[in-house]
Amino acid sequence: MEGASMHSRVLAMIPDTAQQMLLSWGLLHDSSDFTKLQYLQEWTEMHSPCFWMGAFALIHLIFIMSILVQFLYKRIRWSRQRFKTTVENKHSYEEQKNTDIKLGIIYQASKVCCLLSLASHTVKILFWWLQGSICDCKYPTFVLGESVQMLSWIILSSAAFSFQKTKSAKLPLIIRIWWIFFFLQSITSVVFDLRSIFLNHEYIGPKKWINLFMLVICTLLFGISARGKTGVTLVDNSITEPLLSPSLGQLTETKRACPYGKANILQLVTFSWMNPVFAIGYKKPLDKNDVPDVCGKDSAEFLSDSFKTIINDVEHKHGLNTESIYTAMFLFIRRKAVMNAGFAVLSASASYVGPSLINDLVRFLGGERQYGLKRGYLLAVAFLSAKVVETIAQRQWIFGARQLGMRLRAALISHIYQKGLRLSCSSRQKHTSGEIINYMSVDVQRITDVIWYTNYIWMLPIQLFLAVYVLHQNLGVGAWAGLAATLAIMACNIPLTRMQKRLQAKIMGAKDGRMKSTTEVLRSMKILKLQAWDMQYLKKLEALRNEEYNWLWRSVRLSALTTFIFWGSPAFISSITFGACILMGIPLTAGTVLSALATFRMLQDPIFTLPDLLSVFAQGKVSADRVAKYLQEEELKYDAVIEVPRNDTEYDVEIDHGIFSWELETTSPTLKDVELKVKRGMKVAICGMVGSGKSSLLSCILGEMPKLAGTVKVSGTKAYVPQSAWILSGNIRDNILFGNPYDKEKYDKIIQACALTKDLELFANGDLTEIGERGINMSGGQKQRIQIARSVYEDADIYLFDDPFSAVDAHTGSQLFKDCLMGILKDKTILYVTHQVEFLPTADLILVMQDGNIVQKGRFDELLQQNIGFEAIVGAHSQALESVINAESSSRLTSTENSKPADTDDEFEAENETDDQIQGITKQESAHDVSQDINEKGRLTQDEEREKGGIGKKVYWAYLRTVYGGALVPVTIAAQSFFQIFQVASNYWMAWASPATSATKPTVGLGLMFAVYITLSIGSALCVFARSMLVSLIGLLTSEKFFKNMLQCIMRAPMSFFDSTPTGRILNRASNDQSVLDLEIANKLGWCVFSVIQILGTIGVMSQVAWPVFAIFVPVTVVCFMCQRYYIPTARELARLSQIQRAPILHHFAESLSGASSIRAYGQKDRFRKSNLGLVNNHSRPWFHNISSMEWLSFRLNMLSNFVFAFSLTLLVSLPEGFINPSIAGLAVTYALNLNSQLASIIWNICNTENKMISVERILQYSRIPSEAPLVVDYRRPPNNWPLDGTINIRCLEVRYAEHLPSVLRNISCTIPGRKKVGIVGRTGSGKSTLIQALFRIVEPREGAIEIDNIDICRIGLHDLRGKLSIIPQDPTMFEGTVRGNLDPLNEYSDQRIWEILDKCQLGDIVRQSPKKLDSTVVENGENWSVGQRQLFCLGRVLLKRSNVLVLDEATASVDSSTDAIIQETIRDEFRDCTVLTIAHRIHTVIDSDLILVFSEGRIIEYDTPSKLLENENSEFSRLIKEYSRRSKGF
């Protein structure tokens, strides 16, 4: 009767006329039958299907009118323009003619769908006509509705067919909206049909089947309209063939498909576009070429350009500051972020449908069944629908957030890279390479993590609101107590987060310091080993790591505390809420308690997420500030150098009143009052003492040096050869071409001119031989000649050479000067810095530098006559030359009397022929020596090692057993198990003890119920605290042990390891992989076990009431694990590829930073930017498909667990009333709500852990590097005064750099007497430096032996050997720190002794000028000291050490002749009674040696006193002397 009265009230509210009209339209039934009244009770006017049919018809009419108006407008416009035929129309016609179209599956599908929809409505009208009634609505409503819809589909079908004719690629907006509207209409119709089936027991008639069919069609059209494409693709046929045939690399790039870009809506929802990748990955380990491309909007180039545009706009409006960089990041991500936010909000909302319905379910199971089983099934459908919506939305927002993170990462990496190429000198000194690499690897990663967590900002308030709403529905006012408790716990986060933020900043600072030092140590590993300082620097790195470790330990303890608070929070909140309800007298029934418990479990997510959210935001803020600060750094001023067109001036270089300084705020500029005009084609030589400003003068022409005053004008393109050779990893040809196209004729000519022909013939792979990192497997001379060849191939207008001849021998130097500078480049403008006076007479202008001033300028003869300072340089050279000529003439006096002097040119031709014969013989021998495959011969740097297949059990076992043999692991598992037991017990207790309804008598008293619950909750909280502390402790101790093992192994690795391993690979492990070990692995491994324990608890509770769940759970679990087995091989290889592809980005960046000045000089910034983008894409490809594969798996697992949940619910609903305890059944459903997330969590954690374990695997790889020989052999220690005489005996020595490479030294045998001076000479690359490396055991002999004072050096410890020998290496190395630290890193000598040494090596006065004296700063790489000064510091090191055996490897190559003379005098005095081995290209430095050792092609060809060798005119040494004299005969 209640229903009838309500019906009366509703009808009373409607006016009579309106009632009559509704009756005539069939929107109301004229019946007084109670069923109809009940029907109307359910369906008020707004809920009537007939009402909606009329409403929909009206909206369709609006659409039809809009289309007609649009059509008429277009026709009128067309008729007006019909007679206006212009050239543009002709062009557009041509374009249309040349444009072909390709019809895709979407186009065909839209046509078919429209026709099927039209057919469906036709069938409906036919059924109505035949049967007389197919619908409850009156005749006019039905006919009007169906007719309008038929008309609509006729119009839409015509439109779909017209897309081909009009060549429309995009769907018109009105059609998209119309199709979406049809989709909504179909859903509404199906909902009404389902409602009538459930409530009125109606059978499923033809109308309902047609409506269902229409829903399927409209869903497809909805997908097409969401995509916005018609399926018509335009193909341009105007150009039939490419203008340039692409390279092989480009071809493979274009062939790689992008399935994500082509996926339809269903594939995007289900991630089934990943299926082809899984199909390949399951059959074989994925290769990088098997991974598809990212789509256009995810490509690095598109993202970089977009970000650049945005940041430029923001900078234009607000200037460049930290806020504007934040604004640019926000604008860059906002569109995609809004979509993700929508999905996140939908997911959060859907997750609360379950808890809100639990009370209804418990009441239904408790006997409230007045609507029969249908109500139960409807509840089950509602539960399931909510879970499906939650699954789809959750997967989409998580995937979207990761994709957005990838986009931001690509944009930031490219921006950081480009900034690195533009940094000014002062900015560059603020940020070392290690720091900038950290910005790119660690900081960018932390910023992208923020993108993922940002969605929780909108989810948290919605989750809180819904939780309070559900609690209020069940507990009334008690809900506010729950909210207060939740907010109180969240408030606890604020101080904890602040502390975490401070700790993160400290960790990042400590990490920067460690990475900076690690980079420096790796770069200078050779000098550390030569000086036996490697263990000292190992201790320094360990000390830096200890500082980082202390901050990490504080951070993980704080994390453990937050974990404890938030795992205990559901128990705490529920205790407060139930306690408040008991105090306020609010009745607690099983239904309300279980609904509340389910809500508290749902609240766990926001509460757990909040600390992570705040922590990630804290880390992200620190990182974003660091990156923003770096992006604001000062750049090189592009107006420092004015580019003048070639036609407007006769001068190529013009400097007017130039004042330049490396330090902006200084009273004494580096270069003062520079006046210089260089006409086109002039050869300008720049000379002067060490540190006089020669290299700085070239830098100011390049625009590298800050300009304080004056103007610099340059006309034409530039090529630059720096003093320290900058060689890229890759092959020799790539280094010479430097991005230019290969022209064989020009290339061969340049190779010949740069004296590289013979070197290339010796290499197994010729010019395709791979060069190690920083040209490590090339001699200094070879590197310089490759650099010179690169500059010549560039074919620039102006050439700037910074003393490149110092690294090559006399013969090669003169050939380079003659064939390059005076040959190929004779018409070019050249400015060359040189210390070799013999190259000065040919210059058109000579600049003499002193203390940053050009003190003299003019031609050679003019300067000699001026008699100011130039003659000091020439005089030193003349003395050296005199010593050579005297030695030559005295030695040849007897032989020349008896022989007729040969014509010099003929003589040199004969010599060259002999050379060629020797080369031919050697080449044949080297071909016989190496039997390796031709492609592998030239390879020094091998591809990064990559494990294949599963992560071995040994890796897990090694990780778990590292700390206390794994004894703490079972204790941690026990703590988690007890936590789960206590938690289940507390919930079980509440469900059992609460009455089923408010009328039922409680089983136990409220006080006892509450006391037991609180006790169990406290027990669970304590267990979780113990677990989180143990996990943190195990994780950090393990990572520390792994780090120390890896560091020890790297520092003890042989030099061959560093020659063949790019620094980026080592840094990647020390930075990224170590971070994963420090902060992630322990938690990930823990969660694998914890989630299994959780799901066992859930299944235990569910099986209490619905034991048949086991029957379905077992096969579903099997299917889940089958999915996982199918997924793992692909995901694992994708994760490995993604890790491997990260190192090249860092390596390329480090290389680009070190050669930034060369890149800028050659104008190659754009090419290097593109290389960086290509490497970013190579990393994004496996990374993107890896995260997609995770979502592919998660979606399937969630759907499977939804299936289990649906089965359980159906089972519970179908059981007879009273068969089970409704409270316990409700508890089972409460747990089952989390089943899908728990099952997904297990598989997700296992897979994620396996991916993260790759970091452990990679660190273990570098903990197993074969070590060098022992540092000390206790039973073979040499005497303390060894070597006493310094006699070196070499027997049958053979040396090669790697097993697969040819021998560099072949069968060397000789004895070097003690206390003698021995000069080692030979052409560049003849094996001189390799002999020295063998002497220091940097390279171990393959055969033969070296004895010093009768002790075989291969039998004693490396430190005993290297510590007793001294060396000044070819490449002078300095470390960041102080002058004192560079001379005496072990702190063994007094300040007084160090000052004495500085004076002896001509550095005392320079150091005294600095206010800090011995603590004067040395920046990274010693960049604030000239190369010559760095070599003098290396001399200072050996003077301090005072060994009895001294090796000089091109020790004075970068200093001028007069400084060289002083150094030689110092060495003669200081090492009078020592064995001195001198490798030199300046003949005069070895002419006064006791013995001369001449090398050629890795063999000793001459060994005697200088006088004896000079007696024989055909000796190689005589030829070198003759070449030197001939080159210098201009004086």
Side-chain angles (χ1 to χ4, degrees), residues 850-1020:
Q850 191 177 325
D851 299 328
N853 292 308
I854 299 175
V855 289
Q856 284 175 281
K857 60 170 87 166
R859 292 185 70 84
F860 188 78
D861 302 336
E862 294 165 13
L863 293 180
L864 277 179
Q865 288 164 11
Q866 285 177 21
N867 202 19
I868 303 173
F870 182 62
E871 78 285 347
I873 297 168
V874 177
H877 177 75
S878 301
Q879 285 172 10
L881 181 62
E882 205 176 315
S883 66
V884 173
I885 292 166
N886 289 344
E888 186 183 15
S889 54
S890 64
S891 302
R892 294 197 177 172
L893 200 60
T894 51
S895 58
T896 45
E897 284 171 2
N898 305 327
S899 64
K900 182 179 161 188
D903 180 73
T904 50
D905 289 343
D906 294 346
E907 193 180 316
F908 275 102
E909 277 174 30
E911 285 167 7
N912 288 336
E913 278 176 31
T914 319
D915 262 358
D916 291 342
Q917 287 166 11
I918 293 168
Q919 291 278 4
I921 296 161
T922 318
K923 190 175 179 192
Q924 285 169 6
E925 286 172 1
S926 87
H928 287 302
D929 278 352
V930 187
S931 56
Q932 290 282 336
D933 174 59
I934 187 74
N935 293 325
E936 286 302 310
K937 269 191 220 167
R939 292 206 70 181
L940 180 79
T941 308
Q942 300 300 325
D943 286 337
E944 183 165 1
E945 59 280 10
R946 166 187 158 201
E947 307 284 343
K948 292 200 174 179
I951 305 278
K953 290 186 181 70
K954 287 181 182 173
V955 176
Y956 287 97
W957 201 234
Y959 184 84
L960 292 171
R961 292 191 58 195
T962 303
V963 179
Y964 306 125
L968 294 177
V969 175
V971 181
T972 312
I973 293 170
Q976 176 65 20
S977 302
F978 279 113
F979 163 72
Q980 191 65 31
I981 290 164
F982 281 133
Q983 211 184 31
V984 170
S986 64
N987 292 344
Y988 203 94
W989 167 258
M990 284 301 281
W992 178 80
S994 302
T997 61
S998 48
T1000 316
K1001 191 184 174 188
T1003 319
V1004 293
L1006 286 175
L1008 177 64
M1009 178 175 87
F1010 194 54
V1012 171
Y1013 180 71
I1014 282 192
T1015 309
L1016 291 169
S1017 299
I1018 289 169
S1020 71

Side-chain angles (χ1 to χ4, degrees), residues 73-258:
Y73 174 71
K74 279 186 179 174
R75 292 297 291 178
I76 293 162
R77 206 165 150 213
W78 177 77
S79 60
R80 276 185 183 173
Q81 292 178 345
R82 193 172 171 185
F83 302 107
K84 295 179 186 175
T85 52
T86 60
V87 182
E88 288 167 28
N89 294 119
K90 198 173 177 184
H91 279 308
S92 64
Y93 171 72
E94 287 297 322
E95 280 170 25
Q96 280 186 334
K97 199 171 78 173
N98 287 328
T99 308
D100 206 349
I101 58 166
K102 187 179 165 191
L103 302 175
I105 195 160
I106 290 175
Y107 171 71
Q108 307 295 354
S110 55
K111 282 200 308 186
V112 170
C113 288
C114 289
L115 291 172
L116 285 173
S117 300
L118 180 59
S120 301
H121 286 288
T122 312
V123 168
K124 255 194 199 180
I125 287 185
L126 272 172
F127 265 105
W128 173 80
W129 187 58
L130 292 169
Q131 292 186 359
S133 173
I134 191 175
C135 176
D136 296 330
C137 303
K138 292 285 183 185
Y139 169 80
T141 311
F142 178 74
V143 173
L144 174 69
E146 288 303 321
S147 305
V148 168
Q149 289 192 65
M150 275 183 72
L151 181 59
S152 299
W153 282 116
I154 290 166
I155 292 169
L156 287 169
S157 301
S158 308
F161 276 90
S162 72
F163 294 150
Q164 182 178 352
K165 190 181 173 185
T166 56
K167 297 183 180 178
S168 305
K170 281 189 174 180
L171 268 177
L173 183 63
I174 192 163
I175 291 177
R176 287 175 74 180
I177 296 167
W178 208 345
W179 280 351
I180 292 167
F181 175 70
F182 263 119
F183 172 66
L184 297 172
Q185 182 183 341
S186 294
I187 288 176
T188 312
S189 303
V190 170
V191 167
F192 279 127
D193 289 346
L194 288 172
R195 185 106 186 197
S196 65
I197 290 164
F198 282 124
L199 292 181
N200 303 330
H201 306 285
E202 288 183 9
Y203 76 101
I204 303 174
K207 172 188 168 261
K208 292 180 177 59
W209 282 115
I210 291 168
N211 283 347
L212 198 61
F213 177 64
M214 281 294 294
L215 178 62
V216 175
I217 290 170
C218 290
T219 304
L220 276 170
L221 288 173
F222 172 72
I224 293 168
S225 56
R227 232 179 118 80
K229 299 278 174 21
T230 59
V232 176
T233 314
L234 304 180
V235 184
D236 193 2
N237 283 339
S238 56
I239 299 169
T240 50
E241 289 192 23
L243 298 173
L244 287 169
S245 54
S247 66
L248 191 66
Q250 288 168 317
L251 280 173
T252 52
E253 285 294 318
T254 49
K255 279 180 187 171
R256 220 183 277 115
C258 171

